[in-house]
Amino acid sequence: MSYGIGEPLSLAEPQEVDIKQSNSLKKYLEDRGLYESEDESSLREEVLGRLDRVIKDWVREASALQGVAEPLLSEVNARIQTFGSYRLGVHGPGADIDTLCVGPRHITREDFFGLLYQKFQVMSEVTELHAVPDAFTPVIKMRFKGISIDLLYARMLLTNIPED
């Protein structure tokens, strides 16, 4: 048995009435402001790009502090992955972006809530910064250029995290 995964209800193409109803629903949602603007969408992408760069810089700094040698230091990597409503494309305006930071095995949760948190503290574009290390799902919450981010951390048993 596969939980959460099942067969499609139908493989039939949509009928004309289905398309009309979908268009009507889309217009209704647009009229009520339930879609984000193109500007907000662009800002979200910009924020995620900047967050990715901060994460990559942090993991190299933390690795250097742990004594990772210079030739290997340039290869050390981490990456971010979105999930939740943003990843599914069903978020509304002002919704947060649930983001997972995936790091290498030598970067610990203490590094995440220590050095990375400290980096965020001095960044002018980060506000409302809160670390919740003792939660069931430990998280750093913040507003990054006004976009709400919930950042979680997981480390893999790899020395380097590939981009794909």
Side-chain angles (χ1 to χ4, degrees):
M1 175 178 265
S2 296
Y3 294 103
I5 301 173
E7 296 296 318
L9 296 176
S10 172
L11 295 175
E13 294 291 321
Q15 302 293 314
E16 188 174 329
V17 67
D18 299 323
I19 294 170
K20 284 181 181 178
Q21 287 176 335
S22 291
N23 290 338
S24 174
L25 176 60
K26 184 176 179 183
K27 183 175 179 350
Y28 176 84
L29 295 173
E30 286 172 347
D31 291 347
R32 276 141 188 86
L34 297 174
Y35 285 111
E36 71 182 356
S37 68
E38 286 185 30
D39 288 343
E40 185 176 355
S41 181
S42 294
L43 179 59
R44 285 175 183 274
E45 290 179 33
E46 178 187 327
V47 163
L48 288 171
R50 175 78 170 109
L51 180 60
D52 187 57
R53 290 188 300 278
V54 170
I55 294 293
K56 288 176 184 342
D57 290 345
W58 159 69
V59 81
R60 286 187 184 97
E61 285 178 37
S63 297
L65 288 172
Q66 292 181 18
V68 173
E70 187 55 46
L72 297 175
L73 203 52
S74 63
E75 296 178 20
V76 172
N77 193 34
R79 63 181 289 224
I80 60 170
Q81 184 68 52
T82 60
F83 64 98
S85 63
Y86 180 79
R87 176 71 175 184
L88 292 172
V90 295
H91 62 286
D96 70 348
I97 303 177
D98 296 312
T99 310
L100 175 66
C101 172
V102 181
R105 67 180 172 202
H106 64 279
I107 303 297
T108 66
R109 195 154 122 184
E110 288 74 22
D111 295 317
F112 180 75
F113 287 106
L115 184 59
L116 181 59
Y117 185 83
Q118 292 167 10
K119 284 180 77 71
F120 289 138
Q121 282 180 312
V122 298
M123 294 174 61
S124 62
E125 63 260 62
V126 173
T127 59
E128 299 178 33
L129 179 65
H130 305 283
V132 191
D134 298 324
F136 183 74
T137 304
V139 62
I140 293 176
K141 294 175 163 285
M142 69 184 117
R143 286 202 169 272
F144 200 115
K145 290 190 171 185
I147 302 294
S148 180
I149 302 283
D150 286 351
L151 183 64
L152 290 76
Y153 182 69
R155 63 182 184 165
M156 296 186 68
L157 295 177
L158 299 171
T159 54
N160 184 27
I161 307 301
E163 284 298 320
D164 57 357

PDB file of all heavy atoms in Angstrom, residues 38-67:
ATOM      1  N   GLU A  38       3.253  40.157  -9.618  1.00  0.00           N
ATOM      2  CA  GLU A  38       4.517  39.791 -10.268  1.00  0.00           C
ATOM      3  C   GLU A  38       5.694  40.354  -9.490  1.00  0.00           C
ATOM      4  O   GLU A  38       6.748  39.717  -9.410  1.00  0.00           O
ATOM      5  CB  GLU A  38       4.532  40.289 -11.710  1.00  0.00           C
ATOM      6  CG  GLU A  38       3.644  39.478 -12.631  1.00  0.00           C
ATOM      7  CD  GLU A  38       3.767  39.899 -14.088  1.00  0.00           C
ATOM      8  OE1 GLU A  38       4.849  40.366 -14.497  1.00  0.00           O
ATOM      9  OE2 GLU A  38       2.774  39.756 -14.819  1.00  0.00           O
ATOM     10  N   ASP A  39       5.524  41.544  -8.904  1.00  0.00           N
ATOM     11  CA  ASP A  39       6.600  42.134  -8.103  1.00  0.00           C
ATOM     12  C   ASP A  39       6.923  41.275  -6.887  1.00  0.00           C
ATOM     13  O   ASP A  39       8.091  41.044  -6.567  1.00  0.00           O
ATOM     14  CB  ASP A  39       6.222  43.553  -7.648  1.00  0.00           C
ATOM     15  CG  ASP A  39       6.235  44.558  -8.790  1.00  0.00           C
ATOM     16  OD1 ASP A  39       6.834  44.251  -9.852  1.00  0.00           O
ATOM     17  OD2 ASP A  39       5.658  45.648  -8.627  1.00  0.00           O
ATOM     18  N   GLU A  40       5.877  40.809  -6.196  1.00  0.00           N
ATOM     19  CA  GLU A  40       6.112  39.962  -5.021  1.00  0.00           C
ATOM     20  C   GLU A  40       6.735  38.636  -5.444  1.00  0.00           C
ATOM     21  O   GLU A  40       7.640  38.129  -4.775  1.00  0.00           O
ATOM     22  CB  GLU A  40       4.822  39.708  -4.241  1.00  0.00           C
ATOM     23  CG  GLU A  40       5.068  38.942  -2.950  1.00  0.00           C
ATOM     24  CD  GLU A  40       3.824  38.741  -2.091  1.00  0.00           C
ATOM     25  OE1 GLU A  40       2.751  39.267  -2.421  1.00  0.00           O
ATOM     26  OE2 GLU A  40       3.952  38.042  -1.064  1.00  0.00           O
ATOM     27  N   SER A  41       6.300  38.092  -6.545  1.00  0.00           N
ATOM     28  CA  SER A  41       6.865  36.842  -7.051  1.00  0.00           C
ATOM     29  C   SER A  41       8.348  37.009  -7.372  1.00  0.00           C
ATOM     30  O   SER A  41       9.176  36.163  -7.020  1.00  0.00           O
ATOM     31  CB  SER A  41       6.090  36.393  -8.295  1.00  0.00           C
ATOM     32  OG  SER A  41       6.594  35.185  -8.777  1.00  0.00           O
ATOM     33  N   SER A  42       8.692  38.125  -8.003  1.00  0.00           N
ATOM     34  CA  SER A  42      10.104  38.400  -8.324  1.00  0.00           C
ATOM     35  C   SER A  42      10.918  38.587  -7.055  1.00  0.00           C
ATOM     36  O   SER A  42      12.064  38.124  -6.969  1.00  0.00           O
ATOM     37  CB  SER A  42      10.211  39.654  -9.187  1.00  0.00           C
ATOM     38  OG  SER A  42       9.628  39.445 -10.441  1.00  0.00           O
ATOM     39  N   LEU A  43      10.337  39.281  -6.069  1.00  0.00           N
ATOM     40  CA  LEU A  43      11.035  39.491  -4.803  1.00  0.00           C
ATOM     41  C   LEU A  43      11.302  38.155  -4.112  1.00  0.00           C
ATOM     42  O   LEU A  43      12.384  37.943  -3.556  1.00  0.00           O
ATOM     43  CB  LEU A  43      10.240  40.426  -3.893  1.00  0.00           C
ATOM     44  CG  LEU A  43      10.852  40.713  -2.523  1.00  0.00           C
ATOM     45  CD1 LEU A  43      12.243  41.335  -2.653  1.00  0.00           C
ATOM     46  CD2 LEU A  43       9.927  41.607  -1.701  1.00  0.00           C
ATOM     47  N   ARG A  44      10.341  37.247  -4.137  1.00  0.00           N
ATOM     48  CA  ARG A  44      10.534  35.922  -3.526  1.00  0.00           C
ATOM     49  C   ARG A  44      11.720  35.206  -4.175  1.00  0.00           C
ATOM     50  O   ARG A  44      12.555  34.610  -3.486  1.00  0.00           O
ATOM     51  CB  ARG A  44       9.277  35.065  -3.667  1.00  0.00           C
ATOM     52  CG  ARG A  44       8.155  35.456  -2.740  1.00  0.00           C
ATOM     53  CD  ARG A  44       6.898  34.625  -3.029  1.00  0.00           C
ATOM     54  NE  ARG A  44       5.806  35.034  -2.195  1.00  0.00           N
ATOM     55  CZ  ARG A  44       5.588  34.566  -0.961  1.00  0.00           C
ATOM     56  NH1 ARG A  44       6.391  33.677  -0.441  1.00  0.00           N
ATOM     57  NH2 ARG A  44       4.559  35.006  -0.251  1.00  0.00           N
ATOM     58  N   GLU A  45      11.794  35.254  -5.496  1.00  0.00           N
ATOM     59  CA  GLU A  45      12.911  34.603  -6.199  1.00  0.00           C
ATOM     60  C   GLU A  45      14.233  35.263  -5.832  1.00  0.00           C
ATOM     61  O   GLU A  45      15.243  34.580  -5.635  1.00  0.00           O
ATOM     62  CB  GLU A  45      12.668  34.642  -7.706  1.00  0.00           C
ATOM     63  CG  GLU A  45      11.539  33.733  -8.145  1.00  0.00           C
ATOM     64  CD  GLU A  45      11.289  33.790  -9.641  1.00  0.00           C
ATOM     65  OE1 GLU A  45      12.258  33.986 -10.403  1.00  0.00           O
ATOM     66  OE2 GLU A  45      10.119  33.632 -10.040  1.00  0.00           O
ATOM     67  N   GLU A  46      14.234  36.592  -5.750  1.00  0.00           N
ATOM     68  CA  GLU A  46      15.441  37.328  -5.362  1.00  0.00           C
ATOM     69  C   GLU A  46      15.880  36.936  -3.953  1.00  0.00           C
ATOM     70  O   GLU A  46      17.069  36.695  -3.696  1.00  0.00           O
ATOM     71  CB  GLU A  46      15.159  38.828  -5.439  1.00  0.00           C
ATOM     72  CG  GLU A  46      16.307  39.705  -5.005  1.00  0.00           C
ATOM     73  CD  GLU A  46      15.908  41.178  -4.932  1.00  0.00           C
ATOM     74  OE1 GLU A  46      15.057  41.626  -5.739  1.00  0.00           O
ATOM     75  OE2 GLU A  46      16.449  41.878  -4.060  1.00  0.00           O
ATOM     76  N   VAL A  47      14.931  36.866  -3.031  1.00  0.00           N
ATOM     77  CA  VAL A  47      15.225  36.503  -1.641  1.00  0.00           C
ATOM     78  C   VAL A  47      15.802  35.093  -1.571  1.00  0.00           C
ATOM     79  O   VAL A  47      16.796  34.851  -0.871  1.00  0.00           O
ATOM     80  CB  VAL A  47      13.965  36.640  -0.758  1.00  0.00           C
ATOM     81  CG1 VAL A  47      14.108  35.892   0.559  1.00  0.00           C
ATOM     82  CG2 VAL A  47      13.655  38.107  -0.508  1.00  0.00           C
ATOM     83  N   LEU A  48      15.221  34.166  -2.297  1.00  0.00           N
ATOM     84  CA  LEU A  48      15.733  32.789  -2.272  1.00  0.00           C
ATOM     85  C   LEU A  48      17.146  32.714  -2.852  1.00  0.00           C
ATOM     86  O   LEU A  48      17.991  31.964  -2.351  1.00  0.00           O
ATOM     87  CB  LEU A  48      14.786  31.844  -3.006  1.00  0.00           C
ATOM     88  CG  LEU A  48      13.476  31.557  -2.265  1.00  0.00           C
ATOM     89  CD1 LEU A  48      12.514  30.788  -3.167  1.00  0.00           C
ATOM     90  CD2 LEU A  48      13.742  30.794  -0.971  1.00  0.00           C
ATOM     91  N   GLY A  49      17.419  33.493  -3.888  1.00  0.00           N
ATOM     92  CA  GLY A  49      18.771  33.531  -4.449  1.00  0.00           C
ATOM     93  C   GLY A  49      19.772  34.077  -3.449  1.00  0.00           C
ATOM     94  O   GLY A  49      20.869  33.536  -3.280  1.00  0.00           O
ATOM     95  N   ARG A  50      19.393  35.156  -2.767  1.00  0.00           N
ATOM     96  CA  ARG A  50      20.271  35.756  -1.757  1.00  0.00           C
ATOM     97  C   ARG A  50      20.461  34.810  -0.578  1.00  0.00           C
ATOM     98  O   ARG A  50      21.574  34.636  -0.076  1.00  0.00           O
ATOM     99  CB  ARG A  50      19.668  37.087  -1.287  1.00  0.00           C
ATOM    100  CG  ARG A  50      20.416  37.749  -0.167  1.00  0.00           C
ATOM    101  CD  ARG A  50      21.671  38.458  -0.632  1.00  0.00           C
ATOM    102  NE  ARG A  50      22.215  39.259   0.457  1.00  0.00           N
ATOM    103  CZ  ARG A  50      23.332  38.950   1.103  1.00  0.00           C
ATOM    104  NH1 ARG A  50      24.061  37.916   0.738  1.00  0.00           N
ATOM    105  NH2 ARG A  50      23.740  39.712   2.096  1.00  0.00           N
ATOM    106  N   LEU A  51      19.394  34.160  -0.144  1.00  0.00           N
ATOM    107  CA  LEU A  51      19.478  33.199   0.957  1.00  0.00           C
ATOM    108  C   LEU A  51      20.411  32.051   0.583  1.00  0.00           C
ATOM    109  O   LEU A  51      21.230  31.611   1.392  1.00  0.00           O
ATOM    110  CB  LEU A  51      18.085  32.679   1.314  1.00  0.00           C
ATOM    111  CG  LEU A  51      17.997  31.669   2.457  1.00  0.00           C
ATOM    112  CD1 LEU A  51      18.541  32.255   3.755  1.00  0.00           C
ATOM    113  CD2 LEU A  51      16.561  31.204   2.635  1.00  0.00           C
ATOM    114  N   ASP A  52      20.336  31.575  -0.634  1.00  0.00           N
ATOM    115  CA  ASP A  52      21.206  30.496  -1.094  1.00  0.00           C
ATOM    116  C   ASP A  52      22.676  30.920  -1.012  1.00  0.00           C
ATOM    117  O   ASP A  52      23.526  30.150  -0.558  1.00  0.00           O
ATOM    118  CB  ASP A  52      20.828  30.104  -2.523  1.00  0.00           C
ATOM    119  CG  ASP A  52      21.589  28.882  -3.006  1.00  0.00           C
ATOM    120  OD1 ASP A  52      21.501  27.823  -2.343  1.00  0.00           O
ATOM    121  OD2 ASP A  52      22.280  28.983  -4.045  1.00  0.00           O
ATOM    122  N   ARG A  53      22.980  32.148  -1.425  1.00  0.00           N
ATOM    123  CA  ARG A  53      24.361  32.635  -1.354  1.00  0.00           C
ATOM    124  C   ARG A  53      24.840  32.745   0.099  1.00  0.00           C
ATOM    125  O   ARG A  53      25.979  32.392   0.411  1.00  0.00           O
ATOM    126  CB  ARG A  53      24.499  33.970  -2.078  1.00  0.00           C
ATOM    127  CG  ARG A  53      24.374  33.825  -3.595  1.00  0.00           C
ATOM    128  CD  ARG A  53      24.703  35.098  -4.343  1.00  0.00           C
ATOM    129  NE  ARG A  53      23.852  36.230  -4.016  1.00  0.00           N
ATOM    130  CZ  ARG A  53      22.646  36.451  -4.523  1.00  0.00           C
ATOM    131  NH1 ARG A  53      22.126  35.600  -5.394  1.00  0.00           N
ATOM    132  NH2 ARG A  53      21.947  37.519  -4.167  1.00  0.00           N
ATOM    133  N   VAL A  54      23.973  33.240   0.986  1.00  0.00           N
ATOM    134  CA  VAL A  54      24.322  33.350   2.405  1.00  0.00           C
ATOM    135  C   VAL A  54      24.626  31.962   2.976  1.00  0.00           C
ATOM    136  O   VAL A  54      25.610  31.780   3.705  1.00  0.00           O
ATOM    137  CB  VAL A  54      23.189  34.036   3.210  1.00  0.00           C
ATOM    138  CG1 VAL A  54      23.432  33.928   4.720  1.00  0.00           C
ATOM    139  CG2 VAL A  54      23.041  35.489   2.789  1.00  0.00           C
ATOM    140  N   ILE A  55      23.796  30.987   2.648  1.00  0.00           N
ATOM    141  CA  ILE A  55      23.977  29.618   3.138  1.00  0.00           C
ATOM    142  C   ILE A  55      25.308  29.055   2.642  1.00  0.00           C
ATOM    143  O   ILE A  55      26.062  28.437   3.403  1.00  0.00           O
ATOM    144  CB  ILE A  55      22.802  28.714   2.681  1.00  0.00           C
ATOM    145  CG1 ILE A  55      21.487  29.152   3.333  1.00  0.00           C
ATOM    146  CG2 ILE A  55      23.099  27.239   2.925  1.00  0.00           C
ATOM    147  CD1 ILE A  55      21.390  28.955   4.814  1.00  0.00           C
ATOM    148  N   LYS A  56      25.621  29.249   1.375  1.00  0.00           N
ATOM    149  CA  LYS A  56      26.873  28.737   0.813  1.00  0.00           C
ATOM    150  C   LYS A  56      28.084  29.389   1.479  1.00  0.00           C
ATOM    151  O   LYS A  56      29.074  28.717   1.796  1.00  0.00           O
ATOM    152  CB  LYS A  56      26.896  28.935  -0.698  1.00  0.00           C
ATOM    153  CG  LYS A  56      25.938  27.986  -1.417  1.00  0.00           C
ATOM    154  CD  LYS A  56      25.881  28.253  -2.888  1.00  0.00           C
ATOM    155  CE  LYS A  56      24.891  27.417  -3.641  1.00  0.00           C
ATOM    156  NZ  LYS A  56      24.367  26.223  -3.083  1.00  0.00           N
ATOM    157  N   ASP A  57      28.015  30.703   1.713  1.00  0.00           N
ATOM    158  CA  ASP A  57      29.105  31.398   2.407  1.00  0.00           C
ATOM    159  C   ASP A  57      29.258  30.871   3.830  1.00  0.00           C
ATOM    160  O   ASP A  57      30.368  30.627   4.309  1.00  0.00           O
ATOM    161  CB  ASP A  57      28.850  32.909   2.458  1.00  0.00           C
ATOM    162  CG  ASP A  57      28.981  33.570   1.101  1.00  0.00           C
ATOM    163  OD1 ASP A  57      29.546  32.954   0.161  1.00  0.00           O
ATOM    164  OD2 ASP A  57      28.518  34.724   0.958  1.00  0.00           O
ATOM    165  N   TRP A  58      28.123  30.687   4.513  1.00  0.00           N
ATOM    166  CA  TRP A  58      28.139  30.208   5.894  1.00  0.00           C
ATOM    167  C   TRP A  58      28.773  28.828   5.999  1.00  0.00           C
ATOM    168  O   TRP A  58      29.603  28.586   6.873  1.00  0.00           O
ATOM    169  CB  TRP A  58      26.718  30.178   6.450  1.00  0.00           C
ATOM    170  CG  TRP A  58      26.553  29.262   7.625  1.00  0.00           C
ATOM    171  CD1 TRP A  58      27.067  29.420   8.881  1.00  0.00           C
ATOM    172  CD2 TRP A  58      25.843  28.026   7.645  1.00  0.00           C
ATOM    173  NE1 TRP A  58      26.706  28.360   9.676  1.00  0.00           N
ATOM    174  CE2 TRP A  58      25.961  27.497   8.939  1.00  0.00           C
ATOM    175  CE3 TRP A  58      25.119  27.313   6.695  1.00  0.00           C
ATOM    176  CZ2 TRP A  58      25.382  26.290   9.308  1.00  0.00           C
ATOM    177  CZ3 TRP A  58      24.529  26.113   7.060  1.00  0.00           C
ATOM    178  CH2 TRP A  58      24.665  25.611   8.351  1.00  0.00           C
ATOM    179  N   VAL A  59      28.409  27.928   5.107  1.00  0.00           N
ATOM    180  CA  VAL A  59      28.926  26.562   5.218  1.00  0.00           C
ATOM    181  C   VAL A  59      30.437  26.538   4.961  1.00  0.00           C
ATOM    182  O   VAL A  59      31.172  25.765   5.582  1.00  0.00           O
ATOM    183  CB  VAL A  59      28.145  25.577   4.315  1.00  0.00           C
ATOM    184  CG1 VAL A  59      28.597  25.630   2.873  1.00  0.00           C
ATOM    185  CG2 VAL A  59      28.251  24.152   4.827  1.00  0.00           C
ATOM    186  N   ARG A  60      30.920  27.418   4.101  1.00  0.00           N
ATOM    187  CA  ARG A  60      32.372  27.502   3.875  1.00  0.00           C
ATOM    188  C   ARG A  60      33.071  28.110   5.094  1.00  0.00           C
ATOM    189  O   ARG A  60      34.136  27.634   5.497  1.00  0.00           O
ATOM    190  CB  ARG A  60      32.659  28.306   2.614  1.00  0.00           C
ATOM    191  CG  ARG A  60      32.321  27.504   1.368  1.00  0.00           C
ATOM    192  CD  ARG A  60      32.736  28.191   0.074  1.00  0.00           C
ATOM    193  NE  ARG A  60      32.283  27.395  -1.060  1.00  0.00           N
ATOM    194  CZ  ARG A  60      31.168  27.632  -1.738  1.00  0.00           C
ATOM    195  NH1 ARG A  60      30.400  28.654  -1.435  1.00  0.00           N
ATOM    196  NH2 ARG A  60      30.813  26.847  -2.741  1.00  0.00           N
ATOM    197  N   GLU A  61      32.481  29.140   5.700  1.00  0.00           N
ATOM    198  CA  GLU A  61      33.051  29.735   6.911  1.00  0.00           C
ATOM    199  C   GLU A  61      33.094  28.722   8.055  1.00  0.00           C
ATOM    200  O   GLU A  61      34.110  28.597   8.748  1.00  0.00           O
ATOM    201  CB  GLU A  61      32.237  30.949   7.348  1.00  0.00           C
ATOM    202  CG  GLU A  61      32.437  32.175   6.512  1.00  0.00           C
ATOM    203  CD  GLU A  61      31.551  33.332   6.969  1.00  0.00           C
ATOM    204  OE1 GLU A  61      31.338  33.488   8.193  1.00  0.00           O
ATOM    205  OE2 GLU A  61      31.082  34.078   6.093  1.00  0.00           O
ATOM    206  N   ALA A  62      31.991  28.017   8.258  1.00  0.00           N
ATOM    207  CA  ALA A  62      31.927  27.024   9.334  1.00  0.00           C
ATOM    208  C   ALA A  62      32.924  25.898   9.077  1.00  0.00           C
ATOM    209  O   ALA A  62      33.566  25.401  10.013  1.00  0.00           O
ATOM    210  CB  ALA A  62      30.509  26.464   9.454  1.00  0.00           C
ATOM    211  N   SER A  63      33.076  25.512   7.836  1.00  0.00           N
ATOM    212  CA  SER A  63      34.040  24.459   7.482  1.00  0.00           C
ATOM    213  C   SER A  63      35.461  24.919   7.756  1.00  0.00           C
ATOM    214  O   SER A  63      36.282  24.156   8.285  1.00  0.00           O
ATOM    215  CB  SER A  63      33.889  24.073   6.004  1.00  0.00           C
ATOM    216  OG  SER A  63      32.609  23.535   5.767  1.00  0.00           O
ATOM    217  N   ALA A  64      35.778  26.165   7.414  1.00  0.00           N
ATOM    218  CA  ALA A  64      37.115  26.711   7.671  1.00  0.00           C
ATOM    219  C   ALA A  64      37.403  26.739   9.169  1.00  0.00           C
ATOM    220  O   ALA A  64      38.507  26.396   9.608  1.00  0.00           O
ATOM    221  CB  ALA A  64      37.239  28.103   7.070  1.00  0.00           C
ATOM    222  N   LEU A  65      36.407  27.127   9.978  1.00  0.00           N
ATOM    223  CA  LEU A  65      36.572  27.149  11.425  1.00  0.00           C
ATOM    224  C   LEU A  65      36.818  25.747  11.992  1.00  0.00           C
ATOM    225  O   LEU A  65      37.439  25.603  13.044  1.00  0.00           O
ATOM    226  CB  LEU A  65      35.352  27.773  12.104  1.00  0.00           C
ATOM    227  CG  LEU A  65      35.194  29.280  11.928  1.00  0.00           C
ATOM    228  CD1 LEU A  65      33.853  29.749  12.468  1.00  0.00           C
ATOM    229  CD2 LEU A  65      36.341  30.022  12.609  1.00  0.00           C
ATOM    230  N   GLN A  66      36.324  24.737  11.294  1.00  0.00           N
ATOM    231  CA  GLN A  66      36.532  23.353  11.733  1.00  0.00           C
ATOM    232  C   GLN A  66      37.830  22.775  11.182  1.00  0.00           C
ATOM    233  O   GLN A  66      38.135  21.615  11.415  1.00  0.00           O
ATOM    234  CB  GLN A  66      35.352  22.487  11.296  1.00  0.00           C
ATOM    235  CG  GLN A  66      34.077  22.826  12.011  1.00  0.00           C
ATOM    236  CD  GLN A  66      32.913  21.945  11.595  1.00  0.00           C
ATOM    237  OE1 GLN A  66      33.096  20.876  11.025  1.00  0.00           O
ATOM    238  NE2 GLN A  66      31.704  22.390  11.881  1.00  0.00           N
ATOM    239  N   GLY A  67      38.580  23.579  10.426  1.00  0.00           N
ATOM    240  CA  GLY A  67      39.884  23.139   9.947  1.00  0.00           C
ATOM    241  C   GLY A  67      39.887  22.449   8.597  1.00  0.00           C
ATOM    242  O   GLY A  67      40.877  21.807   8.241  1.00  0.00           O
TER     243      GLY A  67
END
